[in-house]
Structures are given as C-alpha cells and as structure tokens.
Amino acid sequence: MINAVGRDIPEEIIEMTGKEVFQGVHYRDGYTYKKDGPNTKCVINNQGSKLVENIHEVLVKCGIKDGMTLGFHHHFREGDYIVNMVMKEVHDMGIKDITICASSLGKAHDPIVPYIEDGTITNIQSSGVRGKIGDAISHGKLKGLAIMRSHGGRVRAIESGETRIDIAFIGTPTCDDYGNCRGIGGKSNCGVLSYAMVDGNYADKVVAITDTLVPFPNFPAHISMTNVDYVVEVDAIGDPNKIATGAAKPTTDMRKLMMADYCTEFVVNTPYFKDGFSYQTGVGGASIASTISLAKIMKERNVRMRFGVGGLTKPMCDLLINDQVDCLLDTQDFDLAAVESVKNLKHFRISAGEYADPFNKGAVVNKLDFVILAALEVDVHFNCNVVVGSDGMITGAQGGHPDTAAGAKCTIVIAPLLQGRIPAICTDVTTVTTPGESIDVVITDYGIAINPARQDLIECMKDVNLPFKTIEELRDIAYSMSGEPEKVQFGDRVVGIIESRDGTIMDVVREVKDFTFAE
Amino acid sequence: MNPNKKRLRRTMMFLNAQKPALIKDPYIYKPDSIMLDLEDAVAQNQKDVARFSLYHALQEIDYHGVERVVRINGLDTPYWQEDVRVCVAGGCDAIRIPKTESAEDVHRVEQAVIAAEKEFGREEGSTLLMAAIESARGVMRAMDVCESSERLFGIALSGGDYTKDMQTHITGTGIELMGARQNMLIAARAAGVQCFDTVYTNLDDMEGFRKDVESIHLMGFDGKSIVNPRQINIVHEIFTPTQKDIIFAEKVVKEIDEKSAQGIGVFTVDGKMIDIAFYDGAKRTISLAKASGVYKGEL
C-alpha cells in the first residue's frame, strides 16, 4: 500500500506488524487510548534488600526466559558497557529469541552481533543502529524485524502497550541500595537519564546497574526507587571518555561555517526570531557553529531566548551562563560542559516523553520555534533520510529528528550538497525517515531551498540576501557534479521498518544486495 | 575567456591543483581569484598528476566568474614549460610566474605562452600574466618587471622566500616586509599595474590577519593572497568602501561634474574643501563599491 510519502509498504508487513501505513504527521491527532501499566511486585517487608550480587543472579530473579523484551538506554553512547554485559550473560544462559528495545544502539555494541547471528537476539527496536549491528541487519542476519523509531515514538510504543518491556536495565551513574538512580556523579557521569525514565515507569522488572553505590537516599532521584526492583553494583558501567567528551572545538571548516551563517541569517529574518523564542540544534559542526553565530546576533540585537531544548552541548549551555536564555530543557548531554551545566538551577532535566512523545497530552517539541537538523539525504519532496546510508546500509538513528521536525514552527535541515561524492540532495531518498511536510528549509553550501508549502517563509525572505534556489535546482547542481547515482540494489526481504512517530509505517528497509554494475 | 587586466582582485586563494576536494568548488566562497598551485604544494614526483587534474578542472568546472590563475613551477626547474602548455590548453585566465627577478623572466614565460596559444588554438593575448617577487633582487627590479609585458596585470609579494633572502623571517608585525611592500607598490602604481600582498598563514590568529589586511589596504595594495576561505570575508570587508565613503564619493563626483560645468574650481562638500584632484579617487571608490556589489546608485 502506498503511504502519504509515496512509499510502497508491502501487504505482508502491514499484516505481520498490524500497523497502518503513514498518513500524514497529524493523522492521529486527538486519538484517545488507555495507557499501559507495568506488572508490579510490591515491597512491603522492610527487611528485604534490592541488592543483587551480579547480572546472572538478577536475570534469574527477574525470571528471564525465551522471547522476552529487554529495555536499555543510550545515555552512555559509545562508552556504554551495559548492553554487552547483560546480553553476554543472557547468551551464556542459553536464552533465545530476545527483543532488544533500546533508545539507541551504536558501535559500542558491535560485540552483540554474534548473538544476533545465533538467535539469542531476534528482534531489535531502536532509534537506529550503527556499526556492525547495522551491517548485520542490512545483510538479513536478524531473524525478525528491526523497528527504527524516534525518541518520542519509543515512549509512545511503550506507553500505548505496543511494546511491553519485560526487564529494563538502567545503567545509572549513581544509585543507592534501594534503587534511586541519578544521572549525575559517579565514574560514568552522563548528566541525565531522560530516555530511561519511560523504562522505569513501564517495565515489569526494573534493574538499576551502577558502578557507584551511594548511601540512601540518592536524591533527588531521576528514576525513583518506587519503580526499581533490583540494584546491581558492577566494576564499570561505561567508559567515561566516550560518554561525555570534552567540548568539541568549534569548527574551522569554512563550508560548515558558511552554512551556519546562512542558517543564522535565515533564522533572524523569520517572524519567530524575537524575544522569547525557542530553539533546538544538534551536535554536528554546522549546528554548533549556528548556535555560536546566533548567540552573537542575539547579543547584538538584544533578543533573548525563552528555552533551549534537546541533547545539549557547550554552546547551548553558554547561552545560560551568558544569561541569553531563560532555561534549558535537557534530554541528553553530549559534552562535559553540558554535564556540568546540569547543576545550574535553570537547567532542567526532562524525560523523553516530556520531550517528544506524540501520544501524551502535549510535548515540548510542540512549543519549539526553531529546530536545526542534519540529514544524510533530502529529496525534492523535502523528505529526509537519517538512518539508511546511500549504500543501503543502516547506519544512523532517527533520534528526535521526526519529533522536533513535526513540532517546530521552523524546521531547518543543514546538509552539504555532496557528502563525499554522494549527493545529499536527490530525487528520492533511499529511505524516508522524516516526511517532507515537516521540513521547511534546506540549507546547503550551494544554496537554500524553502519548502513551497511555506509560502509565508518565502515571502519573509524575498528581500533577504541569501542564495535561494529551488530544491530541484540544488539537486541538479549536485547531479551535475556527481552524476545521477544509480539506485541501490536491494533484495526482496524486508529487514526493518522505519516507524513514524505515531506508530504508522513510514518506510521499509530491505536487505542489501551486493552491487553489480548495470548492463 | 575574458582577459581583464583591471578586474577586482581583492582575494587570490591558493589551492593545491592536485586536490579535487579543494578545486571542485572554491567559487562557493566567492573569492575574486583562485590560484591553482602547481609549484610548492605539489611534490616533485606528482607534478604530472597535478597537471592532469588542473587541465580537467579548467576544462570541466564552471568557476562562476572567479578568475582562475595558475602558479607554475619556477624557471629554474624542468617543469615550467609543460606547466605553461597545460595552463593554456586548459584555458586558464592567468599564469603566476614564481621567483621573478627580471623582465627577461617574464619574457621567457610570455614566449612559451604565445607558442602554447598558437599550439592549442587560443586567441593570442588571452592568457594574462602576473609576477611573484620573492627576492631582494626582484624587489629592486620591480619596476622593470611591471613594465615587461602587455599581458602582465600585476605583481605579488611572496613574503616567505623574500624574508629568507633578507636573512630574517615573518614576524607578524610586518616590519620585515615594509621595504618590499613599499617598493613594489610604488613600482606597480608607476607602471599602472596591480599589486598584491603576501599570504598570512597563521589561521589561529584571525585578529592578526585582520590587522595585517587593514595595514596593507591603507598602504594601497589591490588585494591579498590567501590560504583559507575563512580569510575571504575579512579581506572583502576591509577592501569594500563603507557606505559613508560611498555617499561622500558620490557627492564629490556629482558636485565636480556640476561645478566644473559652471566654471567653479574649488568648493566644499560636507564641510571639506574639494577640487578636481579628488575626482579620480572618488571615481575609484565608486567603481570599487560597484565591483564589490554594494553600490546601487546611478553613477
């Protein structure tokens, strides 16, 4: 069945998943449902201990068995030890047919690939995957389907009961013996535990894993003891060097700086740029440079930001230090400056649900004026792809891309026209992950295209001295340099689905086929 | 091809002719000229590879009006003649002669260019020349160099080699370049050609770069050689007349045109005494403003 972004979703996938196809960003606005809830084992006796000796013991206590769904978060990013630690034990116990429901998976988790191959893990639900897991899924090694869903979409899936987490493993930088978890302190300080909060609230069994056990009460708790069944102390939950890095040196790449300047010039010429505006940006060089150049203009024009949101980096936290923003809403800390900033009274931790869940009574993304995003590919319909490489391999993550794009009044995507030799602006993206109806502006090093659906923005920019072009013109420039790329050759088997934030099917990802030259 | 000796050349950006990633689209940064380098940036055993890449870049890439200058290898090397053939065959706008010390050096390259223009069917005179001055001897003979050829649009100081020859080094203060800069500028102005300053290589010191550009702008240089696109906007900003300068220049030109028709020689504009001696300078400000894209008036 053809969905609203023109993708043909095979009937057997619709049948297998019981899902509808994507029908537009606001299709399920106003939908009513009863939220799911966890099976809860009460603790009334004050003599018991939640402390468990090791991962093996805790798996036994939680009643691990074939076919279960295990939850993980990605606040330790490429420094995470938790997924590998738990899955090794699960594998060694001979458990099969596990579904991993992670907020994201990265190269740090390459060691679980053999467990995919031997059937320990048969389904993966994640924002995205990188490295060898992506390679394994794209080559058809996962028995079931990989479901790629946004940060908001994951909360939706869990809250609605579509995904039931049997056991959630929450790596926590500090924890007391009764399960009060905090993202702050300890050896693996990650600042916040936003993505794990839904696991804490909805998983049947919740296991806190820490390498820094602190005296009770570890308050204020980010995930409360009231939701935690067991606590396991281990030697190390992550590699601090890969959790929060030193603040990235601002880029000196003129191409990125130029795109950042275009972006700032665009932002300040929209009607949304005024006292009290809100803003989110990512961690790419151009995004960070945009924040820096925006801060400069805010100072010059005496414009104040009401709130900044998202995964945070030093330039966003500097806005708070320099009193240019009222508050920051934090879902993830990308560098040590952001981790440090959590101590600021106006730096608020929020859950992934508060941030982006489309199935609650209103999330922060709906209050965003601007979001600055990146993309692997953008097509002439403004559809974006942030998950599947132009070679057909799963190699990225949705993150909050579709959530913020849908919510923000002005969604800006920055992408160099050519990524190496691959055109980033193309006729049709390899895989649609964020629909074009959510994307307002695309900024490249060769020019800027405004979505024709946004005539209001086109009107605002008519006297602005920026290199405006149509999206087709940008594609043509790209193709004039790279040539029109041949389509990636896929096999028939669907190995994954790109789930829209509302749970419908945006696109499917097929098994890659080794490239052969056309006749 | 549109050989234009007098075009605006505030920035000439050096790019290794062997690096596709660099030479595929430097025009997006809007320099006035690019300097595709076959000389120091290219290892000796890569010269032919660089020429191949250069030729195809010149033939295939639309540089959107940015002037394409090629720096060939020195006349004391076995490479320069083949470099000239490739430049002309590819259809570059101009050739930069390194280590120029005499009019004779320019003549040698000019002869090779004439031969190549014939060989490849290019219009005679379509390939311009510029000369880099890199030694004390070159500085002392700058006037001869400036007047050596009709094709020569300007001279450029190469500070690194020059300071070595002077037994000093680049200090960042400009003191070591003072004599050469003055001497070359005077020679260029006397001969009616353009004059370009040397590169500033410390990319971590953008403030130092700005000061350097401000000073060479006040000295009277036409532009500066640059090594990174981040330097472009600073140079263009400094070399672009301010709105205040433009408005004043516009008034001066209009008043002089008007008053001279009435037989008045000296008068005041905004409280300043003005006579015909201000005319050329004011016209130059307007044409620079036009070339920089900031003048929308009717002059």
Side-chain angles (χ1 to χ4, degrees):
Chain A
M1 185 187 283
I2 306 285
N3 69 8
V5 287
R7 296 292 157 139
D8 192 0
I9 311 299
E11 293 299 333
E12 67 267 24
I13 294 298
I14 296 170
E15 226 164 84
M16 187 200 298
T17 60
K19 289 177 174 296
E20 292 184 76
V21 300
F22 176 68
Q23 298 184 46
V25 168
H26 295 133
Y27 169 59
R28 298 182 94 173
D29 186 37
Y31 172 74
T32 54
Y33 73 105
K34 188 165 173 57
K35 283 191 185 176
D36 195 33
N39 291 316
T40 304
K41 185 179 173 191
C42 311
V43 176
I44 300 169
N45 186 339
N46 67 359
Q47 297 301 303
S49 168
K50 293 188 185 180
L51 280 175
V52 177
E53 193 62 28
N54 54 40
I55 301 292
H56 176 81
E57 290 300 318
V58 90
L59 284 167
V60 172
K61 276 180 175 290
C62 289
I64 182 81
K65 59 174 196 252
D66 291 357
M68 274 189 161
T69 297
L70 309 184
F72 298 94
H73 72 72
H74 75 290
H75 283 284
F76 304 143
R77 292 197 301 284
E78 294 298 358
D80 180 59
Y81 291 168
I82 300 286
V83 174
N84 298 346
M85 185 190 296
V86 171
M87 290 316 301
K88 180 177 186 312
E89 197 56 46
V90 170
H91 171 261
D92 290 352
M93 290 169 80
I95 306 292
K96 297 284 176 195
D97 199 19
I98 289 294
T99 295
I100 286 187
C101 174
S103 56
S104 205
L105 294 168
K107 290 179 185 164
H109 308 121
D110 283 354
I112 69 167
V113 168
Y115 313 146
I116 294 173
E117 290 167 345
D118 73 7
T120 306
I121 301 163
T122 49
N123 287 282
I124 289 178
Q125 304 176 6
S126 175
S127 162
V129 294
R130 294 191 167 83
K132 290 185 180 164
I133 303 178
D135 194 280
I137 295 172
S138 286
H139 280 103
K141 291 182 179 162
L142 188 73
K143 199 173 149 205
L145 266 187
I147 300 178
M148 305 294 160
R149 53 167 70 110
S150 69
H151 290 328
R154 178 172 191 265
V155 180
R156 175 207 58 76
I158 295 168
E159 283 187 346
S160 67
E162 183 183 315
T163 291
R164 298 210 82 255
I165 296 178
D166 295 299
I167 314 171
F169 295 90
I170 299 177
T172 176
T174 60
C175 191
D176 61 32
D177 64 351
Y178 226 48
N180 288 300
C181 306
R182 278 165 60 77
I184 279 283
K187 292 172 267 188
S188 304
N189 193 345
C190 61
V192 295
L193 290 172
S194 305
Y195 298 119
M197 289 161 101
V198 68
D199 300 59
N201 288 329
Y202 287 87
D204 286 345
K205 297 286 180 200
V206 177
V207 178
I209 305 176
T210 190
D211 52 13
T212 307
L213 201 60
V214 298
F216 181 90
N218 187 27
F219 265 34
H222 301 172
I223 287 168
S224 168
M225 59 190 170
T226 58
N227 291 325
V228 176
D229 293 273
Y230 302 108
V231 178
V232 183
E233 189 184 20
V234 297
D235 292 338
I237 54 175
D239 175 354
N241 293 324
K242 292 180 182 169
I243 295 171
T245 53
K249 209 175 153 201
T251 183
T252 54
D253 178 345
M254 190 58 205
R255 198 175 292 271
K256 290 181 184 149
L257 289 169
M258 197 171 72
M259 292 192 284
D261 284 345
Y262 288 165
C263 179
T264 300
E265 184 67 12
F266 190 93
V267 163
V268 301
N269 279 291
T270 64
Y272 312 118
F273 182 70
K274 58 183 183 219
D275 258 342
F277 78 104
S278 57
Y279 178 84
Q280 174 171 350
T281 186
V283 287
S287 298
I288 286 178
S290 303
T291 309
I292 294 170
S293 69
L294 185 66
K296 210 170 134 202
I297 291 211
M298 284 165 63
K299 200 171 170 188
E300 281 166 17
R301 303 198 184 173
N302 202 21
V303 171
R304 193 175 170 78
M305 192 187 285
R306 173 61 186 152
F307 71 89
V309 61
L312 299 177
T313 55
K314 183 174 185 294
M316 286 293 283
C317 298
D318 285 346
L319 292 175
L320 196 57
I321 291 168
N322 298 327
D323 196 27
Q324 292 184 279
V325 63
D326 291 344
C327 61
L328 296 176
L329 307 180
D330 185 353
T331 62
Q332 191 177 6
D333 297 320
F334 287 109
D335 57 31
L336 292 169
V339 169
E340 192 58 29
S341 173
V342 175
K343 291 177 187 158
N344 193 311
L345 290 176
K346 293 291 180 185
H347 184 133
F348 301 113
R349 300 178 313 272
I350 58 171
S351 69
E354 286 174 293
Y355 168 49
D357 174 15
F359 267 29
N360 60 25
K361 295 178 183 177
V364 169
V365 292
N366 295 353
K367 302 294 276 181
L368 262 177
D369 288 319
F370 299 102
V371 63
I372 318 295
L373 299 166
L376 296 170
E377 297 172 332
V378 184
D379 68 22
V380 293
H381 316 289
F382 288 83
N383 295 322
C384 291
N385 167 24
V386 294
V387 171
V388 181
S390 302
D391 56 356
M393 299 282 262
I394 301 176
T395 188
Q398 296 201 44
H401 202 283
D403 301 312
T404 53
K409 293 187 184 74
C410 182
T411 300
I412 300 173
V413 171
I414 303 182
L417 195 69
L418 298 175
Q419 317 249 30
R421 291 175 60 183
I422 296 169
I425 311 296
C426 53
T427 304
D428 281 302
V429 288
T430 307
T431 307
V432 181
T433 60
T434 299
E437 68 170 294
S438 296
I439 306 297
D440 300 312
V441 189
V442 177
I443 294 180
T444 75
D445 37 354
Y446 288 76
I448 299 167
I450 303 176
N451 190 332
R454 293 300 304 266
Q455 286 299 318
D456 56 329
L457 288 175
I458 291 173
E459 181 64 22
C460 292
M461 297 296 152
K462 70 176 193 298
D463 295 322
V464 176
N465 185 23
L466 281 171
F468 290 108
K469 295 195 160 55
T470 65
I471 192 86
E472 289 84 3
E473 283 171 333
L474 289 177
R475 173 206 52 196
D476 292 346
I477 298 170
Y479 285 6
S480 75
M481 288 187 281
S482 67
E484 183 174 349
E486 256 183 59
K487 291 251 185 253
V488 185
Q489 295 171 12
F490 288 104
D492 289 334
R493 193 191 146 199
V494 172
V495 294
I497 62 169
I498 304 294
E499 190 184 87
S500 164
R501 61 193 297 253
D502 67 2
T504 56
I505 303 177
M506 185 69 70
D507 207 344
V508 296
V509 183
R510 291 174 191 275
E511 188 175 359
V512 289
K513 211 162 78 175
D514 289 336
F515 184 83
T516 51
F517 286 97
E519 290 293 314
Chain B
M1 294 290 289
N2 179 24
N4 181 352
K5 285 174 67 178
K6 295 288 177 194
R7 62 178 283 161
L8 188 68
R9 294 184 178 93
R10 298 164 298 183
T11 42
M12 285 198 177
M13 181 161 71
F14 275 100
L15 300 164
N16 183 343
Q18 201 188 348
K19 296 274 170 74
L22 293 181
I23 66 177
K24 78 176 196 301
D25 62 356
Y27 55 85
I28 66 168
Y29 308 115
K30 302 190 175 67
D32 292 327
S33 309
I34 52 168
M35 179 76 61
L36 299 155
D37 191 13
L38 293 173
E39 195 204 15
D40 292 350
V42 179
Q44 292 208 357
N45 65 2
Q46 297 294 311
K47 298 292 185 191
D48 52 346
V49 181
R51 284 189 205 115
F52 188 79
S53 147
L54 171 78
Y55 173 80
H56 287 284
L58 290 170
Q59 286 282 294
E60 302 295 333
I61 298 171
D62 175 1
Y63 284 98
H64 293 72
V66 173
E67 183 180 45
R68 304 150 313 146
V69 186
V70 182
R71 177 163 79 167
I72 59 169
N73 285 283
L75 307 191
D76 55 347
T77 70
Y79 312 120
W80 72 273
Q81 279 134 318
E82 188 59 14
D83 291 347
V84 167
R85 288 184 70 242
V86 172
C87 288
V88 174
C92 74
D93 298 309
I95 289 172
R96 171 168 161 142
I97 311 165
K99 302 189 183 79
T100 317
E101 293 197 327
S102 66
E104 175 55 24
D105 288 344
V106 179
H107 293 152
R108 286 174 71 194
V109 176
E110 187 174 31
Q111 289 312 308
V113 170
I114 291 170
E117 282 174 347
K118 276 207 187 97
E119 181 183 355
F120 297 105
R122 301 246 166 228
E123 189 186 331
E124 189 173 330
S126 57
T127 316
L128 297 178
L129 297 176
M130 68 176 289
I133 306 282
E134 310 189 25
S135 65
R137 181 180 283 265
V139 171
M140 295 310 288
R141 292 182 176 172
M143 187 69 191
D144 289 347
V145 172
C146 287
E147 292 184 323
S148 59
S149 164
E150 264 309 300
R151 290 175 187 254
L152 188 115
F153 68 76
I155 55 171
L157 173 61
S158 178
D161 285 319
Y162 168 74
T163 48
K164 279 191 200 92
D165 197 31
M166 293 298 287
Q167 299 175 10
T168 179
H169 59 277
I170 298 287
T171 64
T173 63
I175 195 163
E176 69 285 0
L177 299 171
M178 209 154 51
R181 281 172 166 170
Q182 289 288 11
N183 208 54
M184 286 173 60
L185 261 170
I186 295 166
R189 290 287 168 260
V193 300
Q194 294 176 336
C195 194
F196 310 100
D197 189 45
T198 188
V199 294
Y200 189 93
T201 52
N202 184 358
L203 292 170
D204 291 329
D205 184 8
M206 294 310 272
E207 267 317 298
F209 176 69
R210 180 177 282 277
K211 286 194 184 123
D212 191 45
V213 179
E214 279 167 352
S215 111
I216 64 113
H217 175 240
L218 288 176
M219 287 178 82
F221 276 95
D222 291 277
K224 190 164 176 68
S225 301
I226 56 167
V227 291
N228 188 286
R230 275 194 290 148
Q231 297 179 320
I232 293 172
N233 285 351
I234 294 174
V235 180
H236 287 188
E237 189 192 306
I238 291 165
F239 272 77
T240 301
T242 63
Q243 279 306 310
K244 201 174 144 198
D245 291 341
I246 297 166
I247 292 165
F248 184 72
E250 196 175 33
K251 280 185 189 166
V252 168
V253 172
K254 282 181 178 167
E255 289 283 321
I256 291 176
D257 285 346
E258 203 175 292
K259 294 286 194 304
S260 59
Q262 296 166 13
I264 302 168
V266 180
F267 50 91
T268 60
V269 170
D270 295 346
K272 284 187 190 136
M273 202 176 78
I274 297 296
D275 60 24
I276 190 70
F278 286 81
Y279 195 70
D280 286 351
K283 286 282 250 188
R284 207 164 37 247
T285 300
I286 298 290
S287 44
L288 189 55
K290 269 187 198 168
S292 313
V294 294
Y295 182 70
K296 308 274 185 262
E298 72 269 19
L299 282 180

